[in-house]
Amino acid sequence: MRAVARRGATAVGRALSRAGLRTGSMGRLLAEHSSWAAGITIGAGALTLVLWNHPTVDGVVLVLGLVLFALALAAVLAATAEPAPAGVEPGQANP
């Protein structure tokens, strides 16, 4: 399931890149730190449910859907990222 999701996000990201969408340094940051981005997104969803006084089934489904949408969006944006220009270290600003 994870491999299918990764291939799908990569295909969509490449198609958007060919269509002219550029994510710049944000896309590279998401690509380099995808596990951190996923952890923060899942943590925010979990924190939302923990702090919610009386979550209903509909509310839990809504939060789960939003987390999944955010994870998919981050994966597509990371797949859209172009490699860093030659001579630029990851995490370093462009000259």
Side-chain angles (χ1 to χ4, degrees):
M1 189 66 142
R2 184 181 287 178
V4 171
R6 184 174 296 129
R7 280 194 304 258
T10 301
V12 171
R14 287 182 182 161
L16 289 173
S17 182
R18 283 191 301 270
L21 177 69
R22 301 287 181 254
T23 58
S25 61
M26 179 53 101
R28 283 191 299 273
L29 180 73
L30 282 171
E32 292 169 6
H33 304 290
S34 60
S35 60
W36 277 95
I40 290 170
T41 303
I42 292 169
L47 185 64
T48 300
L49 292 176
V50 167
L51 295 178
W52 199 340
N53 287 335
H54 303 288
T56 62
V57 173
D58 293 338
V60 172
V61 169
L62 175 66
V63 170
L64 178 62
L66 290 173
V67 167
L68 290 175
F69 175 76
L71 290 173
L73 181 63
V76 168
L77 292 176
T80 307
E82 297 175 353
V88 176
E89 295 291 323
Q92 185 182 29
N94 290 340

